Amino acid sequence: MKELKEIIAKASENDTQDVKRFLFGSIEYTSLKCTDSEQSIISFVDKVNKWDDERPDLPHPATICVYPCYAEVVKEYLQVEGIEIACVSGSFPSSQTFLEVKTIETALAIKDGATEIDMVMPVGKFLSGDEQSVTDEITEMKAVCGPDVPLKVILETGCLKTPENIRKASFLAMNAGADYIKTSTGKEKISATPEAAYIMCQCIKEYYEKEGRMVGFKPAGGINSTMDAIIYYTIVKEVLGEKWLNNRLFRLGTSRLADILIEEMG
């Protein structure tokens, strides 16, 4: 992809303190471990509370992202206004269960305080050609969320493998009601890549030009350095433009990046 190489070459131009501040404010601070517990999530949330006290010069992260059973814990212990509570729902990360279970889990998460929902597109159904079932699931999950709770649809692009599949899945998710499209769960061998991000942002742009609805973008998984994040920032800036450069439409699914950015910003 010649265009993508040219965009990545511009990334160093965005390696500034202002961009780093913006990136920090776009982070979805995430804990999705099998060892999570009520106490570990309280400590996790307390770290965000301390940042707000100790670094008032920085924006707060956009979101705290946890499993649905911890939505209530986050809601109770989070002291910083303006941070969303996102829950991965619908049998994350495999999406392999009954739709009824997915919708019940989602409804419970929202009842307990989730203000955003991340679901995984049923990749197996998509790859087997059952696009109608995939559409129906996303539509049903969005119906549970309603208009006030954004739904992020994770495409798991590393499993889709081809640009054609990523493009098809992006439009399918947006047409079914996704408020964001997200690259990955971070649980597969291949997570976010600039190639997948570029394709998805192109699709978001085409969808907006046709439908007039702005869909958000979230790379997640494998964002291990500031430059990784700056590359995604640059892709969004060059493909979608400045109006997507806010923490309502551009998110970063990562936790390690927060500590790195704080250290780099001094």
PDB file of all heavy atoms in Angstrom, residues 64-90:
ATOM      1  N   ILE A  64     -12.534   3.619  31.054  1.00  0.00           N
ATOM      2  CA  ILE A  64     -12.027   2.434  31.731  1.00  0.00           C
ATOM      3  C   ILE A  64     -12.808   1.243  31.177  1.00  0.00           C
ATOM      4  O   ILE A  64     -14.040   1.265  31.142  1.00  0.00           O
ATOM      5  CB  ILE A  64     -12.189   2.528  33.257  1.00  0.00           C
ATOM      6  CG1 ILE A  64     -11.228   3.585  33.822  1.00  0.00           C
ATOM      7  CG2 ILE A  64     -11.944   1.179  33.921  1.00  0.00           C
ATOM      8  CD1 ILE A  64     -11.355   3.801  35.308  1.00  0.00           C
ATOM      9  N   CYS A  65     -12.091   0.223  30.723  1.00  0.00           N
ATOM     10  CA  CYS A  65     -12.719  -0.926  30.060  1.00  0.00           C
ATOM     11  C   CYS A  65     -12.462  -2.187  30.878  1.00  0.00           C
ATOM     12  O   CYS A  65     -11.305  -2.530  31.153  1.00  0.00           O
ATOM     13  CB  CYS A  65     -12.171  -1.069  28.652  1.00  0.00           C
ATOM     14  SG  CYS A  65     -12.930  -2.411  27.698  1.00  0.00           S
ATOM     15  N   VAL A  66     -13.546  -2.883  31.247  1.00  0.00           N
ATOM     16  CA  VAL A  66     -13.464  -4.076  32.091  1.00  0.00           C
ATOM     17  C   VAL A  66     -14.493  -5.106  31.643  1.00  0.00           C
ATOM     18  O   VAL A  66     -15.322  -4.841  30.778  1.00  0.00           O
ATOM     19  CB  VAL A  66     -13.715  -3.720  33.575  1.00  0.00           C
ATOM     20  CG1 VAL A  66     -12.624  -2.820  34.129  1.00  0.00           C
ATOM     21  CG2 VAL A  66     -15.094  -3.064  33.753  1.00  0.00           C
ATOM     22  N   TYR A  67     -14.432  -6.275  32.273  1.00  0.00           N
ATOM     23  CA  TYR A  67     -15.476  -7.270  32.052  1.00  0.00           C
ATOM     24  C   TYR A  67     -16.795  -6.784  32.672  1.00  0.00           C
ATOM     25  O   TYR A  67     -16.792  -6.004  33.637  1.00  0.00           O
ATOM     26  CB  TYR A  67     -15.082  -8.604  32.672  1.00  0.00           C
ATOM     27  CG  TYR A  67     -14.048  -9.368  31.882  1.00  0.00           C
ATOM     28  CD1 TYR A  67     -12.750  -9.541  32.368  1.00  0.00           C
ATOM     29  CD2 TYR A  67     -14.353  -9.926  30.642  1.00  0.00           C
ATOM     30  CE1 TYR A  67     -11.796 -10.252  31.654  1.00  0.00           C
ATOM     31  CE2 TYR A  67     -13.407 -10.634  29.918  1.00  0.00           C
ATOM     32  CZ  TYR A  67     -12.136 -10.795  30.424  1.00  0.00           C
ATOM     33  OH  TYR A  67     -11.187 -11.483  29.702  1.00  0.00           O
ATOM     34  N   PRO A  68     -17.942  -7.264  32.155  1.00  0.00           N
ATOM     35  CA  PRO A  68     -19.237  -6.775  32.636  1.00  0.00           C
ATOM     36  C   PRO A  68     -19.469  -6.925  34.135  1.00  0.00           C
ATOM     37  O   PRO A  68     -20.116  -6.075  34.752  1.00  0.00           O
ATOM     38  CB  PRO A  68     -20.243  -7.626  31.838  1.00  0.00           C
ATOM     39  CG  PRO A  68     -19.527  -7.944  30.568  1.00  0.00           C
ATOM     40  CD  PRO A  68     -18.099  -8.150  30.976  1.00  0.00           C
ATOM     41  N   CYS A  69     -18.921  -7.970  34.726  1.00  0.00           N
ATOM     42  CA  CYS A  69     -19.165  -8.193  36.149  1.00  0.00           C
ATOM     43  C   CYS A  69     -18.490  -7.151  37.040  1.00  0.00           C
ATOM     44  O   CYS A  69     -18.765  -7.101  38.249  1.00  0.00           O
ATOM     45  CB  CYS A  69     -18.717  -9.598  36.556  1.00  0.00           C
ATOM     46  SG  CYS A  69     -17.003  -9.978  36.132  1.00  0.00           S
ATOM     47  N   TYR A  70     -17.637  -6.294  36.446  1.00  0.00           N
ATOM     48  CA  TYR A  70     -16.960  -5.265  37.241  1.00  0.00           C
ATOM     49  C   TYR A  70     -17.457  -3.860  36.940  1.00  0.00           C
ATOM     50  O   TYR A  70     -16.903  -2.881  37.454  1.00  0.00           O
ATOM     51  CB  TYR A  70     -15.449  -5.343  37.012  1.00  0.00           C
ATOM     52  CG  TYR A  70     -14.864  -6.651  37.473  1.00  0.00           C
ATOM     53  CD1 TYR A  70     -14.260  -7.522  36.562  1.00  0.00           C
ATOM     54  CD2 TYR A  70     -14.931  -7.045  38.805  1.00  0.00           C
ATOM     55  CE1 TYR A  70     -13.739  -8.737  36.975  1.00  0.00           C
ATOM     56  CE2 TYR A  70     -14.409  -8.257  39.226  1.00  0.00           C
ATOM     57  CZ  TYR A  70     -13.813  -9.103  38.304  1.00  0.00           C
ATOM     58  OH  TYR A  70     -13.305 -10.312  38.724  1.00  0.00           O
ATOM     59  N   ALA A  71     -18.503  -3.728  36.150  1.00  0.00           N
ATOM     60  CA  ALA A  71     -19.030  -2.400  35.834  1.00  0.00           C
ATOM     61  C   ALA A  71     -19.454  -1.670  37.107  1.00  0.00           C
ATOM     62  O   ALA A  71     -19.169  -0.475  37.281  1.00  0.00           O
ATOM     63  CB  ALA A  71     -20.210  -2.519  34.869  1.00  0.00           C
ATOM     64  N   GLU A  72     -20.109  -2.368  37.985  1.00  0.00           N
ATOM     65  CA  GLU A  72     -20.597  -1.747  39.215  1.00  0.00           C
ATOM     66  C   GLU A  72     -19.444  -1.306  40.112  1.00  0.00           C
ATOM     67  O   GLU A  72     -19.509  -0.259  40.769  1.00  0.00           O
ATOM     68  CB  GLU A  72     -21.508  -2.717  39.969  1.00  0.00           C
ATOM     69  CG  GLU A  72     -22.277  -2.082  41.107  1.00  0.00           C
ATOM     70  CD  GLU A  72     -23.340  -3.003  41.675  1.00  0.00           C
ATOM     71  OE1 GLU A  72     -23.219  -4.238  41.512  1.00  0.00           O
ATOM     72  OE2 GLU A  72     -24.302  -2.486  42.271  1.00  0.00           O
ATOM     73  N   VAL A  73     -18.367  -2.102  40.135  1.00  0.00           N
ATOM     74  CA  VAL A  73     -17.191  -1.751  40.930  1.00  0.00           C
ATOM     75  C   VAL A  73     -16.566  -0.457  40.401  1.00  0.00           C
ATOM     76  O   VAL A  73     -16.228   0.453  41.177  1.00  0.00           O
ATOM     77  CB  VAL A  73     -16.155  -2.896  40.908  1.00  0.00           C
ATOM     78  CG1 VAL A  73     -14.885  -2.480  41.651  1.00  0.00           C
ATOM     79  CG2 VAL A  73     -16.733  -4.161  41.515  1.00  0.00           C
ATOM     80  N   VAL A  74     -16.398  -0.374  39.096  1.00  0.00           N
ATOM     81  CA  VAL A  74     -15.828   0.833  38.501  1.00  0.00           C
ATOM     82  C   VAL A  74     -16.712   2.039  38.808  1.00  0.00           C
ATOM     83  O   VAL A  74     -16.228   3.109  39.216  1.00  0.00           O
ATOM     84  CB  VAL A  74     -15.643   0.672  36.979  1.00  0.00           C
ATOM     85  CG1 VAL A  74     -15.126   1.974  36.372  1.00  0.00           C
ATOM     86  CG2 VAL A  74     -14.693  -0.474  36.665  1.00  0.00           C
ATOM     87  N   LYS A  75     -18.003   1.875  38.634  1.00  0.00           N
ATOM     88  CA  LYS A  75     -18.936   2.976  38.889  1.00  0.00           C
ATOM     89  C   LYS A  75     -18.834   3.452  40.333  1.00  0.00           C
ATOM     90  O   LYS A  75     -18.874   4.659  40.609  1.00  0.00           O
ATOM     91  CB  LYS A  75     -20.366   2.525  38.577  1.00  0.00           C
ATOM     92  CG  LYS A  75     -21.402   3.626  38.748  1.00  0.00           C
ATOM     93  CD  LYS A  75     -22.791   3.123  38.400  1.00  0.00           C
ATOM     94  CE  LYS A  75     -23.834   4.217  38.560  1.00  0.00           C
ATOM     95  NZ  LYS A  75     -25.191   3.731  38.251  1.00  0.00           N
ATOM     96  N   GLU A  76     -18.667   2.534  41.265  1.00  0.00           N
ATOM     97  CA  GLU A  76     -18.625   2.893  42.679  1.00  0.00           C
ATOM     98  C   GLU A  76     -17.332   3.607  43.063  1.00  0.00           C
ATOM     99  O   GLU A  76     -17.344   4.546  43.866  1.00  0.00           O
ATOM    100  CB  GLU A  76     -18.782   1.638  43.543  1.00  0.00           C
ATOM    101  CG  GLU A  76     -18.768   1.926  45.040  1.00  0.00           C
ATOM    102  CD  GLU A  76     -18.984   0.685  45.883  1.00  0.00           C
ATOM    103  OE1 GLU A  76     -19.282  -0.392  45.306  1.00  0.00           O
ATOM    104  OE2 GLU A  76     -18.861   0.788  47.120  1.00  0.00           O
ATOM    105  N   TYR A  77     -16.214   3.174  42.491  1.00  0.00           N
ATOM    106  CA  TYR A  77     -14.913   3.676  42.951  1.00  0.00           C
ATOM    107  C   TYR A  77     -14.312   4.757  42.058  1.00  0.00           C
ATOM    108  O   TYR A  77     -13.367   5.438  42.483  1.00  0.00           O
ATOM    109  CB  TYR A  77     -13.927   2.508  43.101  1.00  0.00           C
ATOM    110  CG  TYR A  77     -14.240   1.657  44.303  1.00  0.00           C
ATOM    111  CD1 TYR A  77     -15.067   0.544  44.192  1.00  0.00           C
ATOM    112  CD2 TYR A  77     -13.733   1.978  45.555  1.00  0.00           C
ATOM    113  CE1 TYR A  77     -15.382  -0.231  45.298  1.00  0.00           C
ATOM    114  CE2 TYR A  77     -14.042   1.216  46.675  1.00  0.00           C
ATOM    115  CZ  TYR A  77     -14.862   0.116  46.536  1.00  0.00           C
ATOM    116  OH  TYR A  77     -15.181  -0.643  47.643  1.00  0.00           O
ATOM    117  N   LEU A  78     -14.818   4.949  40.861  1.00  0.00           N
ATOM    118  CA  LEU A  78     -14.277   5.977  39.973  1.00  0.00           C
ATOM    119  C   LEU A  78     -14.704   7.359  40.476  1.00  0.00           C
ATOM    120  O   LEU A  78     -15.898   7.630  40.638  1.00  0.00           O
ATOM    121  CB  LEU A  78     -14.777   5.752  38.543  1.00  0.00           C
ATOM    122  CG  LEU A  78     -14.262   6.724  37.492  1.00  0.00           C
ATOM    123  CD1 LEU A  78     -12.745   6.671  37.363  1.00  0.00           C
ATOM    124  CD2 LEU A  78     -14.929   6.428  36.141  1.00  0.00           C
ATOM    125  N   GLN A  79     -13.733   8.217  40.696  1.00  0.00           N
ATOM    126  CA  GLN A  79     -13.997   9.544  41.249  1.00  0.00           C
ATOM    127  C   GLN A  79     -13.849  10.657  40.218  1.00  0.00           C
ATOM    128  O   GLN A  79     -14.115  11.817  40.517  1.00  0.00           O
ATOM    129  CB  GLN A  79     -13.036   9.809  42.419  1.00  0.00           C
ATOM    130  CG  GLN A  79     -13.185   8.843  43.569  1.00  0.00           C
ATOM    131  CD  GLN A  79     -12.066   8.973  44.597  1.00  0.00           C
ATOM    132  OE1 GLN A  79     -11.230   9.870  44.503  1.00  0.00           O
ATOM    133  NE2 GLN A  79     -12.053   8.080  45.568  1.00  0.00           N
ATOM    134  N   VAL A  80     -13.423  10.318  39.011  1.00  0.00           N
ATOM    135  CA  VAL A  80     -13.139  11.316  37.988  1.00  0.00           C
ATOM    136  C   VAL A  80     -14.337  11.452  37.049  1.00  0.00           C
ATOM    137  O   VAL A  80     -14.771  10.473  36.450  1.00  0.00           O
ATOM    138  CB  VAL A  80     -11.885  10.928  37.179  1.00  0.00           C
ATOM    139  CG1 VAL A  80     -11.519  12.057  36.214  1.00  0.00           C
ATOM    140  CG2 VAL A  80     -10.718  10.617  38.107  1.00  0.00           C
ATOM    141  N   GLU A  81     -14.845  12.659  36.947  1.00  0.00           N
ATOM    142  CA  GLU A  81     -15.976  12.882  36.061  1.00  0.00           C
ATOM    143  C   GLU A  81     -15.539  12.860  34.596  1.00  0.00           C
ATOM    144  O   GLU A  81     -14.434  13.270  34.258  1.00  0.00           O
ATOM    145  CB  GLU A  81     -16.636  14.232  36.376  1.00  0.00           C
ATOM    146  CG  GLU A  81     -17.317  14.266  37.732  1.00  0.00           C
ATOM    147  CD  GLU A  81     -18.069  15.568  37.945  1.00  0.00           C
ATOM    148  OE1 GLU A  81     -18.127  16.377  36.992  1.00  0.00           O
ATOM    149  OE2 GLU A  81     -18.586  15.771  39.060  1.00  0.00           O
ATOM    150  N   GLY A  82     -16.414  12.355  33.754  1.00  0.00           N
ATOM    151  CA  GLY A  82     -16.168  12.401  32.321  1.00  0.00           C
ATOM    152  C   GLY A  82     -15.525  11.161  31.738  1.00  0.00           C
ATOM    153  O   GLY A  82     -15.342  11.080  30.529  1.00  0.00           O
ATOM    154  N   ILE A  83     -15.173  10.190  32.590  1.00  0.00           N
ATOM    155  CA  ILE A  83     -14.597   8.943  32.085  1.00  0.00           C
ATOM    156  C   ILE A  83     -15.709   7.935  31.860  1.00  0.00           C
ATOM    157  O   ILE A  83     -16.520   7.676  32.762  1.00  0.00           O
ATOM    158  CB  ILE A  83     -13.547   8.372  33.066  1.00  0.00           C
ATOM    159  CG1 ILE A  83     -12.363   9.331  33.203  1.00  0.00           C
ATOM    160  CG2 ILE A  83     -13.061   7.006  32.586  1.00  0.00           C
ATOM    161  CD1 ILE A  83     -11.270   8.838  34.128  1.00  0.00           C
ATOM    162  N   GLU A  84     -15.769   7.388  30.671  1.00  0.00           N
ATOM    163  CA  GLU A  84     -16.788   6.395  30.352  1.00  0.00           C
ATOM    164  C   GLU A  84     -16.415   5.036  30.953  1.00  0.00           C
ATOM    165  O   GLU A  84     -15.235   4.748  31.206  1.00  0.00           O
ATOM    166  CB  GLU A  84     -16.939   6.250  28.841  1.00  0.00           C
ATOM    167  CG  GLU A  84     -17.274   7.544  28.110  1.00  0.00           C
ATOM    168  CD  GLU A  84     -18.640   8.103  28.455  1.00  0.00           C
ATOM    169  OE1 GLU A  84     -19.495   7.353  28.977  1.00  0.00           O
ATOM    170  OE2 GLU A  84     -18.857   9.306  28.210  1.00  0.00           O
ATOM    171  N   ILE A  85     -17.429   4.212  31.166  1.00  0.00           N
ATOM    172  CA  ILE A  85     -17.222   2.838  31.640  1.00  0.00           C
ATOM    173  C   ILE A  85     -17.615   1.905  30.505  1.00  0.00           C
ATOM    174  O   ILE A  85     -18.795   1.788  30.157  1.00  0.00           O
ATOM    175  CB  ILE A  85     -18.066   2.532  32.893  1.00  0.00           C
ATOM    176  CG1 ILE A  85     -17.720   3.510  34.018  1.00  0.00           C
ATOM    177  CG2 ILE A  85     -17.844   1.089  33.345  1.00  0.00           C
ATOM    178  CD1 ILE A  85     -18.643   3.398  35.223  1.00  0.00           C
ATOM    179  N   ALA A  86     -16.611   1.275  29.906  1.00  0.00           N
ATOM    180  CA  ALA A  86     -16.858   0.354  28.795  1.00  0.00           C
ATOM    181  C   ALA A  86     -16.769  -1.084  29.295  1.00  0.00           C
ATOM    182  O   ALA A  86     -15.921  -1.409  30.126  1.00  0.00           O
ATOM    183  CB  ALA A  86     -15.846   0.568  27.686  1.00  0.00           C
ATOM    184  N   CYS A  87     -17.635  -1.928  28.787  1.00  0.00           N
ATOM    185  CA  CYS A  87     -17.587  -3.352  29.110  1.00  0.00           C
ATOM    186  C   CYS A  87     -17.528  -4.171  27.829  1.00  0.00           C
ATOM    187  O   CYS A  87     -18.280  -3.902  26.881  1.00  0.00           O
ATOM    188  CB  CYS A  87     -18.819  -3.787  29.919  1.00  0.00           C
ATOM    189  SG  CYS A  87     -18.775  -3.252  31.636  1.00  0.00           S
ATOM    190  N   VAL A  88     -16.633  -5.148  27.815  1.00  0.00           N
ATOM    191  CA  VAL A  88     -16.632  -6.121  26.722  1.00  0.00           C
ATOM    192  C   VAL A  88     -17.765  -7.102  27.007  1.00  0.00           C
ATOM    193  O   VAL A  88     -17.853  -7.656  28.091  1.00  0.00           O
ATOM    194  CB  VAL A  88     -15.275  -6.840  26.602  1.00  0.00           C
ATOM    195  CG1 VAL A  88     -14.203  -5.874  26.157  1.00  0.00           C
ATOM    196  CG2 VAL A  88     -14.864  -7.509  27.901  1.00  0.00           C
ATOM    197  N   SER A  89     -18.624  -7.301  26.040  1.00  0.00           N
ATOM    198  CA  SER A  89     -19.819  -8.091  26.301  1.00  0.00           C
ATOM    199  C   SER A  89     -20.106  -9.022  25.126  1.00  0.00           C
ATOM    200  O   SER A  89     -19.543  -8.869  24.042  1.00  0.00           O
ATOM    201  CB  SER A  89     -21.018  -7.160  26.535  1.00  0.00           C
ATOM    202  OG  SER A  89     -22.147  -7.884  26.954  1.00  0.00           O
ATOM    203  N   GLY A  90     -20.968 -10.001  25.374  1.00  0.00           N
ATOM    204  CA  GLY A  90     -21.337 -10.925  24.307  1.00  0.00           C
ATOM    205  C   GLY A  90     -20.354 -12.059  24.148  1.00  0.00           C
ATOM    206  O   GLY A  90     -19.970 -12.422  23.041  1.00  0.00           O
TER     207      GLY A  90
END
